[in-house]
Amino acid sequence: MDRKTLYLIDGHSQIYRAYYAPFRALTSPKGEPTRAVHVFTQMLLGLLRDRKPDYLIMTMDVADETVFRVDIDKEYKANRQPSPEDLPPQIDRIVTVMEAMKVPILRKQGFEADDLIATVCRRFADADLDIYIVSKDKDLDQLVGKRVRLYDPAKDRVLDAAAILEEKGYGPDKAVEAQMLIGDSTDNIKGVTGVGPKKAAQLLQQYGSVAAIIDHADELSPKLRENMLEFRARMEVVRQLVTLKNDVEIDFDLAAAAVCEFTPSAAVPILRELGLNTLLERILAGVCDEKQQAEATTQVPAIPATLFEAQQQEAPVRPSAQADYRLVDTAEALADLARRMSKLKAFAFDSESTGLTPADSQLVGISLSWEPATGWYIPVRGIGGVVSEEAVRRHLGPVFANPNIKKSGQNLKFDVGMLATIGIEVAGIDFDTMLASFVLDSSRRSHGIDALALDLLNYRKITTEEMIGRGRQQVTFDQLSTQRVCEYACEDADIAWRLHESFERQLTDPELRSLFRDLEMPLIEVLARMEQRGVAVDTEILARLSNQMADRMTSLRDEIHAAAGHPFNLDSTKQLADVLFDERKLPIIRRTKTGRSTDAEVLEALATQTNDPIPKLLLEYREIAKLKGTYVDALPDMISRRTGRIHPSFNQIGAVTGRLSCSDPNLQNIPIRTPLGAQIRRAFVPGNPDSVLLKADYSQIELRVLAHLSGDKILASAFREDQDIHAFVAAQLEGIPIDQVTSAQRASAKTVNFGIVYGQSAFGLARQTGMSQAHAKAFIERYFQRYPRIRDFLDECIAHAKRHGYVKTILGRRRAIPDIDSRNPGVRNAAERFAVNTVVQGSAADLIKRAMINIDRRIQAEKRPLKMLIQVHDELVFETPRVEVEKQAEMVSREMSQAIEMSVPIGVDVAWGPNWLDVK
């Protein structure tokens, strides 16, 4: 007979994991936070479905202050921080869900959940049961044995005694000894100073127990010997604190934990109230028996999809092994497929490649789907039968080039780039599921196809890691059999097709649909062309700059060592902290879990608060080291062997405000306000000597957007009169003529102008400008008195977030602001800043995206000799023949200034030159 299984859920541990899980923020229709409820309940349903336990129990803590361990040590858990304010109501909801389903919950005054778990394990040690503790908490390692194991639902991993020994270097029989040595900062249990998990494992392997280590203290290093002997007096108290009590008196009948007695349908009204539609559908579809499903269905009306949580669709959900996925590995089969596809109205496609950058990768294969649970895979590389690139180009090229056949997929920009490497142009790009997800809910935990399949289709895909491995063992897709890749690749196209259908039904709001159809989708082709084109870099300039930086770093190192009076490792946080705080007695600004902080913010504070030269020198050293490693030395290695240029990736889902982000390399992070950082731009050059780089930059665009959205007539008139806006504001606030404004007054006005959309505080203004906090406070107050419409606009943004749970940009892009009503002032203030910043910065992002699309259309339609290369925030960089530059500059300026009609003129600064830096 099969042994039965009992699963013990460590309640608070799993709830905390659910709360901090990398999942998007969720709220109920009434604004109640629900992320932890969703993630925990999803874990529970997955446990019931995948592990199929015979018995299930959850244990919970009662109250820290009543635990018997406090009688042993009054400092036990004394430093524990209070729970996040939005967690307790979610714990209550989770308990309500569990109780409704009739899942037993064990808790007892004076004891912790771990003690109850230990007691259950001991009580049923002789029963014909395999016990699985649903937790990864190290405190429970001591319970693992022949019939007791840990189970981590996040990784679907079982840990037995052998796995714990392999992972930690000690087995369950030494877990208590290890915890005594290590201690537990969470519970305020002080172990042996300087002993962490690795050291504890090493000591236990050598000596076997804490007592034995102390007996052999003379064999240890002097410091460790001292610490072990200091611990001796506390040893037995610590042992009592970390040892779980396995004889708690609890009245419990195992029959009550039988899963067959659970009633999942009873949780339906609660999930419906919380708007957790995906979970509700899972209960109705898979966990309930037929009678429960029928009863629940009669109680639950159709549930409309909410804005920030898409309802699970009724697309077929079944494993890929049951799908009809076909390998097309002959020229004849490919020709038949192409003839069939030429009659289609639409299809989804995906590409497999040898790498993540099209410019330096080879196409491995193409997958296609136009019906759920079906797919075709055409391999051009791999182990097994393949077809040639030329055959793919000949047969499928016309299909992909036909604009009347609509194409969809996930992250189409990459796939378009990969097909371009074999000479296939893609027209009729119609729907990108990644972008649809982002438009509908920019705060979703992931817009990747695996996460979307799981969230929306309840479908667990084959992962890339399962196919090609990871780390040193990782291979490329062309090293796998074509038959094996077929299932994975077809699944990608199939799921993309299903997600297309799901998202299409959700894109009903006219604003969001227009944002998706008229802005984000057309931008794919623009960015794909930019990425394929790349940009040239001058490696000689970078080599010279690298040498200059190395010389300066050496000089700075010598200066710092001289100031310290001895050499030390500048890159060692510990050695640096010793020098700054122990030797030079500088004030400790902030502590972290690992010790005294020496980060940039701390060094900046020390540089301004003290006369010590080392912090300022260190800041310069770190800046140069970062620039050298991140850009100057790295850029030459990023040059494509195929094209001789670097090919940055421009990402549409990189920022919740809608701004484009850039990676490989991140050109947006090249600092231009420092002379050294700006020099890096000099290495970006035209691809041939007869061309120049044309730079077009929006002038103070966020202030202009603010003036337009707020309707402030004074600011708008200043822009219409082409005034120096910072001097203009300074003159108004100081009550002086504009020609009498000092550079310091202009700088203060500039700081407030740009800081206003980031929630500039008096403290922040004082810190940035050097004025007193009282002066800064008065300055900000005068600003809002002079421009009351701006204050009204900021308040309107916050009020809109409170009413609707989101804010939106000029083109209707939405961002959820879940913490806008938080009782925590810091969290609430941050949410208010996000609300305002998203509207202004997001609208500026809408503007430049629209401009890019319009400029690209004119380039293509008019066959202009102009190439768009780079987008950085409010700036575009082009390459054009020198003789054409003025003509192209005029067109670019006009399209950028007219991209979206506003009540204030949109200023565009254009300049050109031999590189990105030296433009006029």
Side-chain angles (χ1 to χ4, degrees), residues 587-623:
I588 298 171
I589 305 297
R590 186 173 66 254
R591 292 183 182 272
T592 66
K593 291 181 180 179
T594 57
R596 298 165 295 185
S597 175
T598 60
D599 64 14
E601 188 176 345
V602 167
L603 292 179
E604 287 171 1
L606 291 174
T608 56
Q609 295 175 17
T610 72
N611 294 321
D612 196 295
I614 290 182
K616 185 176 181 181
L617 293 171
L618 274 166
L619 284 168
E620 184 182 354
Y621 174 86
R622 285 186 180 177
E623 182 201 3

Side-chain angles (χ1 to χ4, degrees), residues 714-725:
I714 301 174
L715 272 187
S717 67
F719 280 121
R720 279 194 289 270
E721 295 167 9
D722 199 23
Q723 297 269 16
D724 176 338
I725 195 65

Side-chain angles (χ1 to χ4, degrees), residues 28 31 287 306 317 364 580 584 647 785:
S28 72
V287 178
T306 61
V317 177
V364 174
L580 294 178
R584 305 182 72 79
H647 296 263
Q785 289 169 1

Side-chain angles (χ1 to χ4, degrees), residues 66 107 138 319 434 471 537 555 657 741 823:
T66 67
R107 46 192 162 191
K138 65 182 184 304
M434 182 180 73
V537 293
S555 175
T657 58
V741 171
R823 294 192 300 274

Side-chain angles (χ1 to χ4, degrees), residues 758-774:
Y758 297 100
Q760 179 81 61
S761 65
F763 175 79
L765 178 60
R767 185 177 176 183
Q768 286 185 258
T769 62
M771 65 173 67
S772 70
Q773 197 162 333

